[in-house]
Amino acid sequence: MDEQVAQETPKLGFGLMRLPRRGLGIDVAQVSRMVDLFLEAGFTYFDTAYTYHGYHGEEAVGRAVAKCGVPREELFIVTKLWVQDASYEGAKAAI
């Protein structure tokens, strides 16, 4: 990893594994409030993955971040890929 990038990467992240629920879905309004508070505290690193809530968790955070007023290039949003079949074919299919 480039030394400058390593120094600029925030050390504390907003983990999105367990987002607040509303009924069967994600409480997007609550997620927006949480994102706003996180950003107001000066943090910019978001950690998510498709497997946390299916696409819905990433979508909820994307919607919250889109209306927060912070330019996208100032945020660190990290996602991960879950590959059950670690073969080349399995990884390619997951991507």
Side-chain angles (χ1 to χ4, degrees):
M1 176 180 280
D2 180 270
E3 184 65 29
Q4 182 179 3
V5 171
Q7 289 176 351
E8 293 174 3
T9 303
K11 304 302 183 231
L12 180 66
F14 186 149
L16 303 164
M17 181 180 258
R18 291 176 181 85
L19 295 175
R21 314 267 319 164
R22 174 171 236 153
L24 297 176
I26 294 170
D27 186 342
V28 177
Q30 180 65 30
V31 171
S32 290
R33 289 189 292 275
M34 293 165 66
V35 166
D36 289 344
L37 290 170
F38 186 72
L39 293 169
E40 286 172 16
F43 300 111
T44 58
Y45 185 97
F46 295 87
D47 174 77
T48 189
Y50 176 83
T51 58
Y52 291 173
H53 300 279
Y55 178 70
H56 305 292
E58 292 177 338
E59 180 183 19
V61 171
R63 289 170 55 190
V65 166
K67 64 181 190 171
C68 73
V70 176
R72 173 61 185 91
E73 59 272 4
E74 294 181 18
L75 303 174
F76 291 84
I77 301 176
V78 179
T79 192
K80 293 166 289 302
L81 179 64
W82 182 46
V83 179
Q84 291 179 314
D85 176 0
S87 70
Y88 173 81
E89 293 80 17
K92 187 175 177 182
I95 291 171

Coordinates of all heavy atoms in Angstrom, one line a residue:
M1 N 0.8 -1.2 0.0 CA 0.0 0.0 0.0 C 0.9 1.2 0.0 O 1.9 1.3 0.7 CB -0.9 0.0 1.2 CG -1.8 1.2 1.4 SD -2.8 1.3 2.8 CE -4.1 0.3 2.2
D2 N 0.5 2.2 -0.8 CA 1.2 3.5 -0.8 C 1.3 4.1 0.5 O 0.3 4.2 1.2 CB 0.5 4.4 -1.9 CG 1.2 5.7 -2.0 OD1 0.8 6.6 -1.2 OD2 2.1 5.9 -2.8
E3 N 2.4 4.6 1.0 CA 2.6 5.2 2.3 C 1.6 6.4 2.6 O 1.0 6.5 3.6 CB 4.0 5.6 2.5 CG 4.3 6.2 3.9 CD 4.2 5.1 5.0 OE1 4.4 3.9 4.7 OE2 3.9 5.5 6.1
Q4 N 1.4 7.2 1.6 CA 0.6 8.4 1.7 C -0.9 7.9 1.9 O -1.6 8.4 2.8 CB 0.6 9.3 0.6 CG -0.2 10.5 0.7 CD -0.1 11.5 -0.5 OE1 0.6 11.2 -1.4 NE2 -0.8 12.6 -0.4
V5 N -1.3 6.9 1.2 CA -2.7 6.4 1.3 C -2.9 5.8 2.7 O -3.9 6.0 3.3 CB -3.0 5.4 0.2 CG1 -4.3 4.7 0.5 CG2 -3.0 6.0 -1.2
A6 N -1.9 5.1 3.2 CA -2.0 4.4 4.5 C -2.1 5.5 5.6 O -2.8 5.3 6.5 CB -0.7 3.6 4.7
Q7 N -1.4 6.6 5.4 CA -1.4 7.7 6.4 C -2.8 8.4 6.4 O -3.3 8.9 7.4 CB -0.3 8.6 6.3 CG 1.0 8.0 6.6 CD 2.2 9.0 6.3 OE1 2.0 10.0 5.7 NE2 3.4 8.6 6.8
E8 N -3.4 8.5 5.2 CA -4.7 9.2 5.1 C -5.9 8.4 5.4 O -7.0 8.9 5.6 CB -4.8 9.8 3.7 CG -3.8 10.8 3.3 CD -3.8 11.2 1.8 OE1 -4.7 10.7 1.1 OE2 -3.0 12.0 1.4
T9 N -5.8 7.1 5.4 CA -6.9 6.2 5.7 C -7.3 6.4 7.1 O -6.5 6.2 8.0 CB -6.5 4.7 5.4 OG1 -6.1 4.6 4.0 CG2 -7.8 3.8 5.6
P10 N -8.6 6.7 7.4 CA -9.0 6.8 8.8 C -8.9 5.5 9.6 O -8.9 4.4 9.1 CB -10.5 7.1 8.6 CG -10.7 7.6 7.2 CD -9.6 6.9 6.4
K11 N -8.6 5.7 10.9 CA -8.4 4.6 11.7 C -9.6 4.0 12.4 O -9.6 2.9 13.0 CB -7.4 5.0 12.8 CG -6.1 5.5 12.3 CD -5.4 4.5 11.4 CE -4.0 5.0 10.9 NZ -3.8 5.0 9.5
L12 N -10.7 4.8 12.4 CA -12.0 4.3 12.9 C -13.0 4.3 11.9 O -13.2 5.3 11.1 CB -12.4 5.3 14.1 CG -13.7 4.9 14.8 CD1 -13.6 3.6 15.5 CD2 -14.1 6.0 15.7
G13 N -13.8 3.2 11.8 CA -14.8 3.1 10.7 C -16.2 2.8 11.3 O -16.3 2.4 12.4
F14 N -17.2 3.1 10.5 CA -18.5 2.9 10.8 C -18.9 1.5 10.2 O -19.0 1.3 9.0 CB -19.4 4.0 10.2 CG -20.9 3.9 10.5 CD1 -21.6 5.1 10.5 CD2 -21.6 2.7 10.7 CE1 -22.9 5.1 10.8 CE2 -22.9 2.7 11.0 CZ -23.6 3.9 11.0
G15 N -18.9 0.5 11.1 CA -19.2 -0.9 10.6 C -20.7 -1.0 10.4 O -21.5 -0.6 11.2
L16 N -21.1 -1.5 9.2 CA -22.5 -1.6 8.8 C -23.1 -3.0 8.8 O -24.1 -3.2 8.2 CB -22.6 -0.9 7.4 CG -22.1 0.5 7.4 CD1 -21.8 0.9 5.9 CD2 -23.0 1.4 8.1
M17 N -22.5 -3.8 9.7 CA -23.0 -5.2 9.7 C -24.4 -5.3 10.3 O -25.2 -6.0 9.8 CB -22.1 -6.1 10.5 CG -22.5 -7.5 10.6 SD -21.4 -8.5 11.5 CE -20.5 -9.3 10.2
R18 N -24.7 -4.5 11.3 CA -26.0 -4.5 12.0 C -26.6 -3.2 12.0 O -26.4 -2.4 12.9 CB -25.8 -5.0 13.4 CG -25.4 -6.5 13.5 CD -25.1 -6.9 14.9 NE -24.6 -8.3 14.9 CZ -23.4 -8.7 14.7 NH1 -22.4 -7.8 14.5 NH2 -23.1 -10.0 14.7
L19 N -27.4 -2.9 11.0 CA -28.1 -1.6 10.8 C -29.5 -1.8 11.5 O -30.1 -2.8 11.6 CB -28.3 -1.3 9.4 CG -27.0 -1.0 8.6 CD1 -27.3 -0.8 7.1 CD2 -26.3 0.2 9.2
P20 N -30.0 -0.6 12.0 CA -31.3 -0.7 12.6 C -32.4 -1.1 11.6 O -32.4 -0.7 10.5 CB -31.6 0.8 13.1 CG -30.6 1.6 12.3 CD -29.5 0.7 12.0
R21 N -33.4 -1.8 12.1 CA -34.4 -2.4 11.3 C -35.7 -1.6 11.5 O -36.0 -1.1 12.6 CB -34.6 -3.9 11.5 CG -33.4 -4.7 11.6 CD -32.8 -5.3 10.5 NE -33.7 -6.0 9.6 CZ -33.3 -6.4 8.4 NH1 -32.1 -6.1 8.0 NH2 -34.1 -7.0 7.6
R22 N -36.6 -1.6 10.5 CA -37.9 -1.1 10.6 C -38.8 -2.2 9.9 O -38.7 -2.3 8.7 CB -38.1 0.2 10.0 CG -39.5 0.7 10.0 CD -39.7 2.1 9.6 NE -40.4 2.7 10.7 CZ -40.3 4.0 11.0 NH1 -39.6 4.8 10.3 NH2 -41.0 4.5 12.0
G23 N -39.5 -2.9 10.7 CA -40.3 -4.1 10.1 C -39.3 -5.1 9.5 O -38.3 -5.4 10.2
L24 N -39.5 -5.4 8.3 CA -38.6 -6.4 7.6 C -37.4 -5.7 6.9 O -36.5 -6.4 6.5 CB -39.3 -7.2 6.6 CG -40.4 -8.1 7.2 CD1 -41.2 -8.8 6.1 CD2 -39.9 -9.1 8.2
G25 N -37.4 -4.4 6.8 CA -36.4 -3.7 6.1 C -35.5 -2.9 7.0 O -35.5 -3.0 8.2
I26 N -34.6 -2.1 6.4 CA -33.7 -1.3 7.1 C -34.3 0.1 7.4 O -35.0 0.6 6.5 CB -32.3 -1.1 6.3 CG1 -31.7 -2.5 6.3 CG2 -31.4 -0.1 7.0 CD1 -30.5 -2.5 5.3
D27 N -34.1 0.6 8.6 CA -34.7 1.9 8.9 C -33.7 3.0 8.3 O -32.8 3.4 9.0 CB -34.8 2.1 10.4 CG -35.4 3.3 10.9 OD1 -35.6 4.3 10.1 OD2 -35.9 3.4 12.1
V28 N -34.0 3.4 7.1 CA -33.1 4.3 6.4 C -33.1 5.7 7.0 O -32.0 6.3 7.1 CB -33.6 4.4 4.9 CG1 -32.7 5.4 4.1 CG2 -33.6 3.1 4.2
A29 N -34.1 6.1 7.6 CA -34.1 7.4 8.3 C -33.2 7.4 9.5 O -32.4 8.3 9.7 CB -35.5 7.8 8.8
Q30 N -33.2 6.3 10.3 CA -32.3 6.1 11.4 C -30.8 6.0 10.9 O -29.9 6.6 11.5 CB -32.6 4.9 12.3 CG -31.7 4.7 13.5 CD -31.8 5.8 14.5 OE1 -32.8 6.5 14.6 NE2 -30.7 6.1 15.1
V31 N -30.6 5.2 9.8 CA -29.3 5.1 9.3 C -28.8 6.5 8.8 O -27.6 6.8 9.1 CB -29.2 4.1 8.1 CG1 -27.9 4.2 7.4 CG2 -29.5 2.7 8.6
S32 N -29.6 7.3 8.3 CA -29.2 8.7 7.8 C -28.8 9.5 9.1 O -27.8 10.2 9.0 CB -30.4 9.4 7.1 OG -30.6 8.8 5.9
R33 N -29.5 9.4 10.2 CA -29.1 10.1 11.4 C -27.8 9.6 11.9 O -26.9 10.4 12.3 CB -30.2 10.0 12.4 CG -31.5 10.8 12.1 CD -32.5 10.9 13.2 NE -33.1 9.6 13.6 CZ -34.1 9.1 13.0 NH1 -34.7 9.7 12.0 NH2 -34.6 7.9 13.3
M34 N -27.6 8.3 11.9 CA -26.3 7.8 12.3 C -25.2 8.2 11.5 O -24.1 8.6 12.0 CB -26.4 6.2 12.4 CG -27.4 5.7 13.4 SD -27.9 4.0 13.1 CE -26.3 3.2 13.5
V35 N -25.4 8.2 10.2 CA -24.3 8.7 9.2 C -24.0 10.1 9.5 O -22.8 10.5 9.5 CB -24.7 8.4 7.8 CG1 -23.9 9.2 6.8 CG2 -24.7 6.9 7.5
D36 N -25.0 11.0 9.6 CA -24.8 12.4 9.9 C -24.0 12.6 11.2 O -23.0 13.4 11.2 CB -26.1 13.1 10.0 CG -26.9 13.3 8.7 OD1 -26.2 13.1 7.6 OD2 -28.1 13.6 8.7
L37 N -24.3 11.9 12.2 CA -23.6 12.0 13.5 C -22.1 11.6 13.3 O -21.2 12.2 13.9 CB -24.3 11.3 14.6 CG -25.6 11.8 15.1 CD1 -26.3 10.9 16.0 CD2 -25.4 13.2 15.8
F38 N -21.9 10.5 12.6 CA -20.6 10.0 12.4 C -19.8 11.0 11.6 O -18.6 11.3 12.0 CB -20.7 8.7 11.6 CG -19.5 7.9 11.4 CD1 -18.8 7.2 12.4 CD2 -18.9 7.8 10.1 CE1 -17.7 6.5 12.2 CE2 -17.7 7.1 9.9 CZ -17.1 6.5 11.0
L39 N -20.3 11.6 10.6 CA -19.6 12.5 9.8 C -19.4 13.8 10.6 O -18.3 14.4 10.5 CB -20.3 12.8 8.5 CG -20.4 11.7 7.5 CD1 -21.4 12.0 6.4 CD2 -19.0 11.3 6.9
E40 N -20.3 14.3 11.3 CA -20.2 15.5 12.2 C -19.0 15.3 13.2 O -18.4 16.3 13.5 CB -21.5 15.8 12.9 CG -22.6 16.4 12.0 CD -23.9 16.5 12.7 OE1 -23.9 16.4 14.0 OE2 -24.9 16.6 12.0
A41 N -18.8 14.1 13.6 CA -17.7 13.8 14.5 C -16.3 13.8 13.8 O -15.3 13.6 14.5 CB -18.0 12.5 15.3
G42 N -16.4 13.9 12.5 CA -15.1 14.0 11.8 C -14.6 12.7 11.2 O -13.5 12.6 10.6
F43 N -15.5 11.7 11.2 CA -15.1 10.4 10.7 C -15.6 10.2 9.2 O -16.6 10.8 8.9 CB -15.6 9.2 11.5 CG -15.1 9.3 13.0 CD1 -16.0 9.6 14.0 CD2 -13.8 9.0 13.3 CE1 -15.6 9.7 15.3 CE2 -13.3 9.1 14.6 CZ -14.2 9.4 15.6
T44 N -14.9 9.4 8.4 CA -15.2 9.3 7.0 C -15.1 7.9 6.5 O -15.3 7.7 5.3 CB -14.3 10.2 6.2 OG1 -12.9 9.8 6.4 CG2 -14.5 11.6 6.5
Y45 N -14.9 6.9 7.3 CA -14.6 5.5 6.8 C -15.8 4.6 7.1 O -16.3 4.5 8.2 CB -13.4 4.9 7.6 CG -12.9 3.6 7.1 CD1 -11.9 3.5 6.2 CD2 -13.5 2.4 7.6 CE1 -11.4 2.2 5.8 CE2 -13.1 1.2 7.3 CZ -12.0 1.1 6.4 OH -11.6 -0.2 6.0
F46 N -16.4 4.0 6.0 CA -17.6 3.2 6.1 C -17.2 1.8 5.7 O -16.6 1.6 4.6 CB -18.7 3.7 5.3 CG -19.2 5.0 5.7 CD1 -18.7 6.2 5.3 CD2 -20.3 5.1 6.6 CE1 -19.1 7.4 5.7 CE2 -20.8 6.3 7.1 CZ -20.2 7.5 6.6
D47 N -17.5 0.8 6.5 CA -17.2 -0.6 6.2 C -18.4 -1.4 6.0 O -19.3 -1.5 6.9 CB -16.4 -1.2 7.3 CG -16.1 -2.7 7.1 OD1 -15.2 -3.0 6.3 OD2 -16.8 -3.5 7.7
T48 N -18.6 -2.0 4.8 CA -19.8 -2.8 4.5 C -19.5 -4.0 3.7 O -18.3 -4.2 3.3 CB -20.9 -1.9 3.8 OG1 -22.1 -2.6 3.7 CG2 -20.4 -1.5 2.4
A49 N -20.5 -4.8 3.4 CA -20.3 -6.0 2.6 C -21.7 -6.4 2.1 O -22.7 -6.2 2.9 CB -19.6 -7.1 3.3
Y50 N -21.8 -7.0 1.0 CA -23.1 -7.4 0.4 C -23.7 -8.4 1.4 O -24.9 -8.4 1.6 CB -22.8 -8.1 -0.9 CG -24.1 -8.7 -1.5 CD1 -25.0 -7.9 -2.2 CD2 -24.4 -10.1 -1.3 CE1 -26.2 -8.5 -2.7 CE2 -25.6 -10.6 -1.8 CZ -26.4 -9.8 -2.5 OH -27.6 -10.3 -3.0
T51 N -23.0 -9.3 2.0 CA -23.5 -10.3 2.9 C -24.1 -9.7 4.2 O -24.8 -10.5 4.9 CB -22.5 -11.4 3.3 OG1 -21.4 -10.7 3.9 CG2 -22.0 -12.1 2.0
Y52 N -23.8 -8.5 4.6 CA -24.4 -8.0 5.8 C -25.9 -7.9 5.7 O -26.6 -8.2 6.7 CB -23.8 -6.6 6.1 CG -22.4 -6.6 6.5 CD1 -21.7 -5.4 6.6 CD2 -21.6 -7.8 6.7 CE1 -20.3 -5.4 7.0 CE2 -20.3 -7.7 7.0 CZ -19.7 -6.6 7.2 OH -18.3 -6.5 7.5
H53 N -26.5 -7.3 4.7 CA -27.9 -7.2 4.5 C -28.3 -7.4 3.1 O -29.3 -6.9 2.6 CB -28.4 -5.8 4.9 CG -28.0 -5.4 6.3 ND1 -28.8 -5.8 7.4 CD2 -27.0 -4.7 6.8 CE1 -28.3 -5.3 8.5 NE2 -27.2 -4.7 8.2
G54 N -27.6 -8.2 2.4 CA -27.8 -8.2 0.9 C -27.5 -6.8 0.4 O -26.9 -6.0 1.0
Y55 N -28.0 -6.5 -0.7 CA -27.7 -5.2 -1.3 C -28.4 -4.1 -0.5 O -27.9 -2.9 -0.6 CB -28.2 -5.1 -2.8 CG -28.0 -3.8 -3.4 CD1 -26.8 -3.4 -3.8 CD2 -29.1 -3.0 -3.7 CE1 -26.6 -2.1 -4.4 CE2 -28.9 -1.8 -4.3 CZ -27.7 -1.3 -4.6 OH -27.5 -0.1 -5.2
H56 N -29.4 -4.4 0.3 CA -30.1 -3.4 1.0 C -29.3 -2.5 2.0 O -29.5 -1.3 2.1 CB -31.3 -4.0 1.7 CG -32.2 -4.8 0.8 ND1 -32.9 -4.2 -0.2 CD2 -32.4 -6.1 0.7 CE1 -33.6 -5.2 -0.9 NE2 -33.2 -6.3 -0.4
G57 N -28.3 -3.1 2.6 CA -27.5 -2.3 3.6 C -26.6 -1.4 2.8 O -26.5 -0.2 3.2
E58 N -26.0 -1.8 1.7 CA -25.2 -0.9 0.9 C -26.0 0.2 0.3 O -25.6 1.4 0.3 CB -24.4 -1.7 -0.1 CG -23.4 -2.6 0.5 CD -22.7 -3.4 -0.6 OE1 -23.3 -3.6 -1.7 OE2 -21.6 -3.9 -0.3
E59 N -27.2 -0.1 -0.1 CA -28.1 0.9 -0.7 C -28.6 1.9 0.4 O -28.6 3.1 0.1 CB -29.4 0.2 -1.3 CG -30.4 1.2 -1.9 CD -31.6 0.5 -2.4 OE1 -31.9 -0.6 -1.9 OE2 -32.3 1.1 -3.2
A60 N -28.9 1.5 1.6 CA -29.3 2.4 2.6 C -28.2 3.4 3.0 O -28.4 4.6 3.1 CB -29.7 1.6 3.9
V61 N -27.0 2.9 3.1 CA -25.8 3.7 3.4 C -25.6 4.7 2.2 O -25.3 5.8 2.4 CB -24.6 2.9 3.8 CG1 -23.4 3.7 3.9 CG2 -24.9 2.1 5.1
G62 N -25.7 4.2 1.0 CA -25.5 5.0 -0.1 C -26.4 6.1 -0.2 O -26.1 7.3 -0.5
R63 N -27.7 5.9 0.1 CA -28.7 6.9 0.2 C -28.4 8.0 1.2 O -28.5 9.2 1.0 CB -30.1 6.3 0.3 CG -30.5 5.6 -0.9 CD -31.8 4.8 -0.7 NE -32.9 5.5 -0.2 CZ -34.0 4.9 0.2 NH1 -34.2 3.6 0.2 NH2 -35.0 5.7 0.7
A64 N -28.0 7.5 2.4 CA -27.7 8.4 3.5 C -26.5 9.3 3.2 O -26.4 10.5 3.4 CB -27.4 7.6 4.8
V65 N -25.4 8.6 2.6 CA -24.2 9.4 2.3 C -24.5 10.4 1.1 O -24.0 11.5 1.2 CB -23.1 8.4 1.9 CG1 -21.9 9.1 1.2 CG2 -22.6 7.7 3.1
A66 N -25.3 10.0 0.2 CA -25.6 10.9 -0.9 C -26.3 12.2 -0.5 O -26.0 13.2 -1.1 CB -26.5 10.2 -1.9
K67 N -27.0 12.2 0.6 CA -27.7 13.4 1.0 C -27.0 14.1 2.2 O -27.5 15.0 2.7 CB -29.1 13.2 1.3 CG -29.4 12.2 2.4 CD -30.9 12.1 2.6 CE -31.2 11.3 3.8 NZ -32.6 11.3 4.1
C68 N -25.8 13.6 2.6 CA -25.1 14.2 3.8 C -24.4 15.5 3.5 O -24.0 16.2 4.4 CB -24.2 13.1 4.4 SG -22.7 12.9 3.4
G69 N -24.1 15.7 2.2 CA -23.4 17.0 1.9 C -21.9 16.9 1.8 O -21.3 17.9 1.5
V70 N -21.4 15.7 2.1 CA -19.9 15.5 2.1 C -19.6 15.0 0.7 O -20.2 14.0 0.2 CB -19.4 14.6 3.2 CG1 -17.9 14.3 3.0 CG2 -19.8 15.1 4.5
P71 N -18.6 15.6 0.0 CA -18.3 15.1 -1.3 C -17.8 13.7 -1.3 O -17.1 13.3 -0.4 CB -17.1 16.0 -1.8 CG -17.3 17.3 -1.0 CD -17.9 16.8 0.4
R72 N -18.2 12.8 -2.2 CA -17.9 11.4 -2.3 C -16.4 11.2 -2.2 O -15.9 10.2 -1.5 CB -18.5 10.8 -3.5 CG -18.1 9.3 -3.8 CD -18.5 8.4 -2.6 NE -18.1 7.1 -2.8 CZ -16.9 6.6 -2.3 NH1 -16.1 7.4 -1.6 NH2 -16.6 5.3 -2.5
E73 N -15.6 12.0 -2.8 CA -14.1 11.8 -2.8 C -13.5 12.0 -1.5 O -12.4 11.6 -1.3 CB -13.5 12.7 -3.9 CG -13.7 14.2 -3.7 CD -14.9 14.7 -4.4 OE1 -15.7 13.9 -5.0 OE2 -15.1 15.9 -4.4
E74 N -14.2 12.5 -0.5 CA -13.7 12.7 0.9 C -14.1 11.5 1.8 O -13.7 11.5 2.9 CB -14.2 14.0 1.5 CG -13.7 15.2 0.7 CD -14.2 16.5 1.3 OE1 -14.7 16.5 2.5 OE2 -14.1 17.6 0.7
L75 N -14.8 10.6 1.2 CA -15.2 9.4 2.0 C -14.5 8.2 1.6 O -14.1 8.0 0.5 CB -16.7 9.2 1.8 CG -17.7 10.4 2.2 CD1 -19.1 10.0 1.8 CD2 -17.6 10.7 3.6
F76 N -14.3 7.3 2.6 CA -13.7 6.0 2.4 C -14.8 5.0 2.6 O -15.3 4.8 3.7 CB -12.6 5.7 3.4 CG -11.4 6.5 3.2 CD1 -11.3 7.8 3.7 CD2 -10.3 6.0 2.5 CE1 -10.1 8.5 3.6 CE2 -9.1 6.7 2.3 CZ -9.0 8.0 2.9
I77 N -15.3 4.3 1.5 CA -16.3 3.3 1.6 C -15.7 2.0 1.1 O -15.3 1.9 -0.1 CB -17.6 3.7 0.8 CG1 -18.1 5.1 1.3 CG2 -18.6 2.6 0.9 CD1 -19.3 5.6 0.5
V78 N -15.7 1.1 2.0 CA -15.0 -0.2 1.7 C -16.1 -1.3 1.7 O -16.9 -1.4 2.6 CB -14.0 -0.5 2.8 CG1 -13.3 -1.8 2.5 CG2 -12.9 0.6 2.8
T79 N -16.1 -2.2 0.8 CA -16.9 -3.3 0.7 C -16.1 -4.6 0.5 O -14.9 -4.5 0.2 CB -18.0 -3.2 -0.3 OG1 -19.0 -4.2 -0.1 CG2 -17.5 -3.3 -1.7
K80 N -16.7 -5.7 0.8 CA -15.9 -7.0 0.7 C -16.8 -7.9 -0.1 O -18.0 -7.8 -0.2 CB -15.7 -7.5 2.1 CG -14.7 -6.7 2.9 CD -14.7 -7.0 4.4 CE -15.9 -6.6 5.1 NZ -16.3 -5.3 5.2
L81 N -16.1 -8.9 -0.7 CA -16.7 -9.9 -1.5 C -16.6 -11.2 -0.8 O -15.6 -11.7 -0.4 CB -16.0 -10.0 -2.8 CG -16.5 -11.0 -3.8 CD1 -17.9 -10.6 -4.3 CD2 -15.6 -11.0 -5.0
W82 N -17.8 -11.9 -0.6 CA -17.8 -13.2 0.0 C -17.8 -14.2 -1.1 O -18.7 -14.3 -1.9 CB -19.0 -13.3 0.9 CG -19.1 -14.6 1.6 CD1 -18.1 -15.2 2.3 CD2 -20.3 -15.4 1.8 NE1 -18.6 -16.4 2.9 CE2 -19.9 -16.5 2.6 CE3 -21.6 -15.3 1.3 CZ2 -20.8 -17.5 2.9 CZ3 -22.5 -16.3 1.7 CH2 -22.1 -17.4 2.4
V83 N -16.8 -15.1 -1.1 CA -16.7 -16.1 -2.1 C -16.8 -17.4 -1.4 O -15.8 -17.8 -0.7 CB -15.4 -16.0 -2.9 CG1 -15.3 -17.1 -4.0 CG2 -15.4 -14.6 -3.6
Q84 N -17.8 -18.2 -1.6 CA -17.9 -19.5 -1.0 C -17.0 -20.5 -1.7 O -16.4 -21.4 -1.1 CB -19.4 -20.0 -1.0 CG -20.3 -19.2 -0.1 CD -21.7 -19.7 -0.2 OE1 -22.2 -19.9 -1.3 NE2 -22.3 -19.9 0.9
D85 N -16.9 -20.4 -3.0 CA -16.1 -21.3 -3.8 C -14.9 -20.5 -4.2 O -14.9 -19.6 -5.0 CB -16.9 -21.7 -5.1 CG -16.1 -22.6 -6.0 OD1 -14.9 -22.9 -5.7 OD2 -16.6 -22.9 -7.1
A86 N -13.7 -20.8 -3.5 CA -12.5 -20.1 -3.7 C -11.8 -20.4 -5.0 O -10.7 -19.9 -5.2 CB -11.6 -20.3 -2.5
S87 N -12.3 -21.2 -5.9 CA -11.7 -21.5 -7.1 C -11.8 -20.3 -8.0 O -12.5 -19.3 -7.8 CB -12.4 -22.7 -7.8 OG -13.7 -22.3 -8.3
Y88 N -11.0 -20.2 -9.1 CA -11.0 -19.1 -10.0 C -12.5 -18.9 -10.5 O -13.0 -17.8 -10.6 CB -10.1 -19.4 -11.2 CG -10.2 -18.3 -12.3 CD1 -9.5 -17.1 -12.1 CD2 -10.9 -18.6 -13.4 CE1 -9.7 -16.1 -13.1 CE2 -11.0 -17.6 -14.4 CZ -10.4 -16.4 -14.2 OH -10.5 -15.4 -15.2
E89 N -13.1 -20.0 -10.9 CA -14.5 -19.9 -11.5 C -15.5 -19.4 -10.4 O -16.3 -18.6 -10.7 CB -14.9 -21.3 -12.0 CG -14.2 -21.8 -13.2 CD -12.8 -22.4 -12.9 OE1 -12.6 -22.7 -11.7 OE2 -12.0 -22.5 -13.8
G90 N -15.3 -19.9 -9.2 CA -16.2 -19.4 -8.1 C -16.0 -18.0 -7.8 O -17.0 -17.2 -7.6
A91 N -14.8 -17.5 -7.8 CA -14.5 -16.1 -7.5 C -15.0 -15.2 -8.6 O -15.6 -14.2 -8.4 CB -13.0 -15.9 -7.3
K92 N -14.8 -15.6 -9.8 CA -15.3 -14.9 -11.0 C -16.8 -14.8 -11.0 O -17.4 -13.7 -11.3 CB -14.8 -15.5 -12.3 CG -15.1 -14.7 -13.5 CD -14.4 -15.4 -14.8 CE -14.8 -14.6 -16.0 NZ -14.2 -15.3 -17.2
A93 N -17.5 -15.9 -10.7 CA -18.9 -15.8 -10.6 C -19.4 -14.9 -9.5 O -20.4 -14.2 -9.7 CB -19.5 -17.3 -10.4
A94 N -18.8 -14.8 -8.4 CA -19.2 -14.0 -7.3 C -19.0 -12.5 -7.7 O -19.8 -11.7 -7.3 CB -18.4 -14.3 -6.0
I95 N -18.0 -12.2 -8.4 CA -17.7 -10.8 -8.8 C -18.8 -10.4 -9.8 O -19.4 -9.4 -9.7 CB -16.3 -10.6 -9.4 CG1 -15.3 -10.8 -8.3 CG2 -16.2 -9.3 -10.1 CD1 -13.9 -10.9 -8.8

